[in-house]
């Protein structure tokens, strides 16, 4: 099944939790807040949020400096 | 016909050009601004025109100053911004420039939050001066804001924001501008506000270090009410310094998004 992550299409085997998808794509979940189909998810929700077919995921990474 | 001149309403028996208007009012002027845009002296005034008459090299009368400071923006915009309330969390490279930019627009109520004092290593990118070293950033920035526009109400809070106090300090403002330096504080603000103030409008920043192209700076949305400005990768480190141009560019985008939000629907 396909999902969109940061504007790119990814083919993943099956529905899975966001945290597992990030690990499988070698993305460190630290310092990330996600938007999935327009809703916001903070890091502690990543292990409970199931990503399904055609979901649109945007990851916003926070880095220091200001 | 009714027009406004330097903020005061005036009734004219007949239409005049700007030169004749200045003579009629016994005012000297060499800059003529009508409804936010400079006009030639031959311009004939119309009903409800908002006119500013400025004499270069002369300090305007106190009662005209507030009007003249924002006359390039027009009355509608200026009135809305004067009644707006924004809180700036962190008064470093981002926060000090966001504050100054908003002050120049005449944004009426600005709260500044920071725990730290001005020190020499801030001066390369933050809106402070050498003679302010050692002072609380909030106090120094308030002084700088009021040098630009003395009519802005500035509230200051010298405190380190954390999970316990943040909601209390930022609730009730139309826009929360996240201008922290470190990642932990950025996430602390976002996570608390997402949970406890889900309807607040927040503009944050991530990735402002170095001197890379400014065209890799983007605005990402989180839900309906959160915008994050930056390149999302260039973190400040010993190899990647924070420098004025790029930090200021991001701060200006944060300030512009603040204004865009406050002026939604204004023509």
């Amino acid at each position: 099944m396909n999902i969109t992550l940061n504007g790119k299409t990814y083919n993943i085997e099956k529905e899975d939790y966001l945290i597992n998808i990030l690990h499988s794509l070698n993305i460190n979940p630290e310092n990330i807040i996600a938007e999935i189909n327009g809703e916001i998810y903070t890091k502690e929700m990543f292990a409970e949020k199931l990503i399904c077919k055609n979901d649109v995921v945007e990851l916003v990474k926070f880095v220091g400096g200001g | 016909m009714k027009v406004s001149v330097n903020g005061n309403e005036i009734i004219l028996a007949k239409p005049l050009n700007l030169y004749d208007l200045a003579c009629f009012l016994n005012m000297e002027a060499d800059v003529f601004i009508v409804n936010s845009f400079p006009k030639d002296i031959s311009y004939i005034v119309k009903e409800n025109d908002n006119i500013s008459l400025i004499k270069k090299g002369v300090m305007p009368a106190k009662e005209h100053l507030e009007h003249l400071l924002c006359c390039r923006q027009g009355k509608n915009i200026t009135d809305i911004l004067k009644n707006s309330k924004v809180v700036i969390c962190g008064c470093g490279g981002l926060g000090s420039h966001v504050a100054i930019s908003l002050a120049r627009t005449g944004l009426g109520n600005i709260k500044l939050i920071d725990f730290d004092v001005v020190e020499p290593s801030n001066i390369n990118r933050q809106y402070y001066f050498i003679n302010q070293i050692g002072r609380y950033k909030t106090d120094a920035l308030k002084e700088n804001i009021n040098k630009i526009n003395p009519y802005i109400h500035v509230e200051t809070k010298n405190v380190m924001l954390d999970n316990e106090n943040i909601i209390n300090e930022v609730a009730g403002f139309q826009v929360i501008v996240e201008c922290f330096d470190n990642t932990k504080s950025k996430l602390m603000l976002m996570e608390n506000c997402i949970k406890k103030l889900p309807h607040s409008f927040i503009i944050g920043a991530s990735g402002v270090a170095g001197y890379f192209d400014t065209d890799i700076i983007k605005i990402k949305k989180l839900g309906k009410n959160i915008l994050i400005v930056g390149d999302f990768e260039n973190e400040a480190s010993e190899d990647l310094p924070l420098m004025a141009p790029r930090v200021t560019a991001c701060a200006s985008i944060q300030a512009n998004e603040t204004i865009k939000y406050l002026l939604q629907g204004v023509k």
Side-chain angles (χ1 to χ4, degrees):
Chain A
M1 68 177 217
N2 285 345
I3 63 164
T4 305
L5 194 145
N6 285 358
K8 282 187 197 155
T9 305
Y10 288 83
N11 190 267
I12 56 171
E13 252 176 61
K14 57 178 175 50
E15 290 183 0
D16 204 348
Y17 295 104
L18 178 58
I19 191 81
N20 297 335
I21 291 176
L22 294 181
H23 285 314
S24 70
L25 295 171
N26 277 328
I27 297 170
N28 183 353
E30 277 304 307
N31 305 334
I32 282 179
I33 297 178
E35 186 200 72
I36 301 159
N37 304 330
E39 297 290 322
I40 304 174
Y41 294 83
T42 51
K43 202 185 82 181
E44 80 273 9
M45 300 153 94
F46 291 0
E48 299 157 15
K49 177 59 188 170
L50 205 56
I51 300 298
C52 306
K53 192 180 166 187
N54 296 331
D55 275 355
V56 179
V57 181
E58 274 292 322
L59 303 175
V60 175
K61 187 180 169 195
F62 285 83
V63 300
Chain B
M1 73 191 261
K2 191 179 76 188
V3 297
S4 155
V5 178
N6 289 6
N8 302 320
E9 227 173 65
I10 295 210
I11 307 289
L12 297 174
K14 57 174 184 164
L16 298 173
N17 66 32
L18 290 170
Y19 177 80
D20 291 336
L21 176 71
C23 292
F24 171 69
L25 296 172
N26 245 336
M27 291 171 77
E28 273 193 274
D30 41 29
V31 177
F32 304 85
I33 293 167
V34 180
N35 305 328
S36 86
F37 201 74
K39 295 279 189 193
D40 188 79
I41 51 169
S42 62
Y43 172 87
I44 295 168
V45 302
K46 297 187 185 72
E47 177 82 21
N48 294 327
D49 269 350
N50 200 345
I51 299 155
S52 304
L53 302 179
I54 295 170
K55 178 69 184 163
K56 283 188 188 175
V58 174
M59 183 62 74
K62 249 189 174 169
E63 61 268 30
H64 295 163
L65 183 63
E66 184 175 9
H67 164 83
L68 293 176
L69 286 176
C70 292
C71 68
R72 284 302 301 266
Q73 298 176 170
K75 189 171 173 0
N76 272 359
I77 287 175
T78 300
D79 286 351
I80 292 169
L81 294 180
K82 185 177 163 65
N83 291 306
S84 295
K85 285 180 77 174
V86 171
V87 57
I88 296 171
C89 301
C91 297
L94 291 168
S96 63
H97 281 100
V98 169
I100 292 299
S101 196
L102 294 178
R104 290 194 191 280
T105 75
L107 198 134
N109 303 279
I110 301 175
K111 180 173 177 179
L112 306 171
I113 308 177
D114 199 295
F115 69 93
D116 216 348
V117 296
V118 179
E119 43 94 350
S121 79
N122 300 147
I123 304 292
N124 84 318
R125 68 189 186 286
Q126 306 186 15
Y127 203 102
Y128 300 104
F129 300 95
I130 288 167
N131 66 0
Q132 293 178 317
I133 287 172
R135 293 182 57 194
Y136 278 122
K137 288 185 177 179
T138 50
D139 294 341
L141 190 52
K142 177 179 178 168
E143 180 179 284
N144 297 342
I145 287 171
N146 285 144
K147 275 185 175 174
I148 289 166
N149 186 325
Y151 306 98
I152 292 170
H153 176 253
V154 184
E155 181 186 350
T156 57
K157 191 78 186 224
N158 300 307
V159 70
M160 167 92 84
L161 289 171
D162 58 27
N163 287 316
E164 310 307 316
N165 62 16
I166 183 143
I167 295 302
N168 205 20
E169 297 297 342
V170 303
F173 288 83
Q174 289 164 282
V175 182
I176 300 166
V177 196
E178 178 278 300
C179 296
F180 292 125
D181 188 35
N182 75 75
T183 314
K184 261 191 180 170
S185 297
K186 287 174 182 289
L187 284 159
M188 181 277 297
L189 183 148
M190 291 295 161
E191 290 172 353
N192 276 285
C193 291
I194 288 166
K195 274 187 212 123
K196 298 168 196 162
L197 294 173
H199 301 295
S200 57
F201 195 79
I202 306 169
I203 304 172
S206 169
V208 304
Y211 48 91
F212 303 97
D213 284 350
T214 47
D215 64 5
I216 62 168
I217 296 168
K218 300 277 181 278
I219 303 171
K220 279 199 177 195
K221 267 189 110 171
L222 272 174
K224 290 193 182 84
N225 305 324
I226 303 178
L227 303 176
I228 313 292
V229 178
D231 64 28
F232 303 91
E233 54 181 307
N234 288 306
E235 179 155 29
S237 70
E238 59 187 291
D239 300 320
L240 207 51
L242 288 165
M243 298 175 78
R246 218 157 176 270
V247 173
T248 311
C250 284
S252 293
I253 296 172
Q254 287 183 294
N256 186 49
E257 290 302 320
T258 302
I259 300 298
K260 261 169 76 179
Y261 175 76
L262 295 169
L263 297 178
Q264 291 172 87
V266 176
K267 279 189 181 172

